[in-house]
Structures are given as structure tokens and as C-alpha cells.
Amino acid sequence: MDILPQLILNSIIAGAIYMMVALGFNLIYGTVKFFDLGYGALTTVGGYMVFLFYKKLGLDLSLSIALGILITGCIGYLINKVIYKKLRDRKASNMVLLVASLGVLTVLQAIIAMIFSSQFQTLSTGGESRVFEIFGAVITQVQLIILVSGLLIALILSIVLKKTLFGKAINAVADDEEVAKIVGINTNKIIGKVFFIGSMIAGLAGILIGFDTGIQPTMGMPLLLKGVIASIIGGIGNIYGGVLGAFLLGFVENFGIWKISGEWKDAIAFGLLIIFLLFRPQGILRK
């Protein structure tokens, strides 16, 4: 049973990673009501921006991270303004928006691969990373930062959405965009800000994951799929649901491969998704 504490901690770490991706995705989906597949590529953008500024140009680490998050937010904002907004103005269906977002994902991945190559890269400095022991299990400093960052973002988003005028405007747009326009809310401005904030969260997630395991141009899609699964089983469009879904997915995956090969992890994740779609499609928590 010595492996049990490490298994529990691994589940928490996996849940924290999925939570980081699910939070931004849930925020965007809850507002515009379509699956933005391009969101996955934004995690990659964040990681490669830090790789560029920190590893290639030699800038300060904190400055590189801040620039990486900001640039990712700006790219997400521009994608919405140049592509998604124009499609929404033309009353495009969610299927059209989904296909457009798949194009965004493909193009961003290709651009990153052309600029930085398709090789696996690391963001770490090569020095020894601090390791903490908890009840016989170990967790690295980066993994601890991922966990704390995810919980802080969830808390901040919850406060913003419930306690601020901006958050109430987001909820109004999410409930009914046309009615929100009638009462005087600039819905395009609100949606633009939501894409900017959600994209910054994606960038931060990609950066932290890059420091933990490394980066490559195609890392966005697997991360996105796990974030989407966590969002659906937790309750799509619900911040708390995204957190619960992420940790449930992390525990089910890691305990599911306790006695079998790790190659079954993705199959277990999609099996859990199918079970929820069949028996509780609204997820753990309703929107």
C-alpha cells in the first residue's frame, strides 16, 4: 500500500492540470456557447512565448512569463475579433464556429511548428527542482504551483462573476445575449474581454505545464480534450463544476491504471465521459 499516497497525490496533480485548462474553457463556453477548439492551441502559444523570451532571448523569467500570458491573451482576443465575431455577426451556427475553431487550432500549431520546429522542448533551466514530501509521496515545486494557481484562479473567477458589475454583465450575456443588448450591455466588448481573460488562463496553463513536463506544438489538443471532459462531467459553463470534474477525472484516471498499463488512461477518461453523457449529461453541477 506504499504506492497509495503517491497515487492520491498524482491524481491531485493531474486534476490541477486539467482544472487550469477547464477554467478558461468553461468561462469562454459559458459566454459564447460553442466549443472553441482553438483554445487548446493557446496553451501551446503561452509555453512557446516563454521559451522564446526566456530560453532564446535570455529575458528575466518573471518578465518572460508575464509577456507570455499577455501575448496569449491578446492573440485570443484578436482571434475572436477577426474570426469568431464576424461569424457570429453573420448568424453562423455553432457547427460553423466549431469548424472555424478547428482551423484556428490547426493553423496555430502549424505556425508554431514552422517557427520553433516540431521537436520537444523544455522550459526548465536544467537545475534541480525542489521536491516536497507529503505522507510518503513527492510533489515538485512546479506541480505545487500548478495546484495553487488553479485554485486561486477558480476563486478569483468565482468572486468576479458573483460580486462585480463585469461579472454580472458576463452572466447576462451568457443567459441571453439579445436581452443583454436591449438593456444596454455592450456584448461584443464583454465577449472580447472574456476571450482575453480565458486566453490568458490558457497561456498560464501552457507555461506551467511546460515547466513541469515540456512543450511541443501538438500539446494543445490532448490538454484541450482533458479540459473539455472535465468541463462536461463537472457541468459545462460552471466554474465549480470544472474544478470538481477536473479532480474527479484525475482520480479516476490514475486509480484506473493502478493495476493495468498506463496506455489505458485516455480510454478510461473517455469511458467516464460516455457514462456521464448517458446518465447525467448536465454534469455534476448544473450551470
Side-chain angles (χ1 to χ4, degrees):
M1 294 298 291
D2 291 339
I3 195 176
L4 185 59
Q6 189 63 56
L7 239 133
I8 294 173
L9 196 54
N10 287 348
S11 301
I12 294 173
I13 294 166
I17 292 172
Y18 302 154
M19 174 177 59
M20 290 283 289
V21 180
L23 284 172
F25 176 84
N26 248 351
L27 179 65
I28 292 174
Y29 177 85
T31 307
V32 295
K33 301 297 188 299
F34 83 92
F35 277 75
D36 180 15
L37 299 181
Y39 184 83
L42 293 174
T43 61
T44 313
V45 170
Y48 273 94
M49 286 300 99
V50 172
F51 176 76
L52 172 64
F53 293 126
Y54 180 52
K55 299 295 286 285
K56 294 294 186 181
L57 301 181
L59 298 185
D60 177 72
L61 177 59
S62 300
L63 177 60
S64 299
I65 293 173
L67 286 172
I69 295 171
L70 181 61
I71 290 173
T72 307
C74 291
I75 291 174
Y77 176 84
L78 288 174
I79 289 170
N80 170 64
K81 187 165 184 175
V82 174
I83 301 174
Y84 301 150
K85 180 181 178 298
K86 293 186 183 300
L87 290 174
R88 289 197 308 271
D89 290 342
R90 296 175 183 176
K91 307 298 181 183
S93 66
N94 283 348
M95 180 58 68
V96 171
L97 287 164
L98 177 67
V99 173
S101 69
L102 178 60
V104 169
L105 171 70
T106 305
V107 169
L108 285 179
Q109 286 186 165
I111 291 173
I112 290 171
M114 286 189 292
I115 295 174
F116 298 99
S117 84
S118 299
Q119 293 183 347
F120 180 84
Q121 307 285 355
T122 60
L123 295 182
S124 61
T125 57
E128 291 187 7
S129 176
R130 293 184 63 184
V131 176
F132 304 95
E133 185 173 336
I134 304 174
F135 300 112
V138 295
I139 182 172
T140 67
Q141 183 178 11
V142 173
Q143 291 167 343
L144 189 60
I145 292 172
I146 291 173
L147 176 59
V148 173
S149 298
L151 293 174
L152 279 176
I153 291 172
L155 178 62
I156 293 169
L157 285 178
S158 176
I159 293 172
V160 168
L161 291 174
K162 285 188 174 182
K163 303 294 184 182
T164 67
L165 288 175
F166 175 59
K168 291 176 181 177
I170 292 175
N171 288 323
V173 175
D175 287 339
D176 194 316
E177 186 177 347
E178 294 303 320
V179 173
K181 288 179 181 178
I182 293 172
V183 299
I185 296 175
N186 188 335
T187 57
N188 287 328
K189 186 176 181 180
I190 294 297
I191 291 172
K193 289 181 178 179
V194 166
F195 267 91
F196 180 72
I197 294 169
S199 300
M200 286 199 301
I201 295 173
L204 176 60
I207 291 166
L208 292 176
I209 292 167
F211 276 104
D212 183 34
T213 58
I215 55 175
Q216 56 186 7
T218 57
M219 65 182 273
M221 180 56 89
L223 286 174
L224 175 70
L225 290 176
K226 294 300 176 68
V228 170
I229 292 173
S231 298
I232 292 174
I233 66 178
I236 193 73
N238 188 309
I239 298 298
Y240 303 112
V243 175
L244 288 175
F247 283 109
L248 174 61
L249 177 60
F251 272 88
V252 170
E253 273 190 349
N254 283 275
F255 276 85
I257 61 168
W258 188 353
K259 300 294 185 180
I260 60 177
S261 170
E263 295 175 353
W264 283 89
K265 182 177 284 189
D266 289 342
I268 291 170
F270 281 98
L272 180 65
L273 172 64
I274 291 171
I275 290 172
F276 267 86
L277 290 176
L278 289 174
F279 299 105
R280 192 172 175 83
Q282 71 271 29
I284 299 172
L285 301 177
R286 295 181 183 273
K287 185 178 182 304

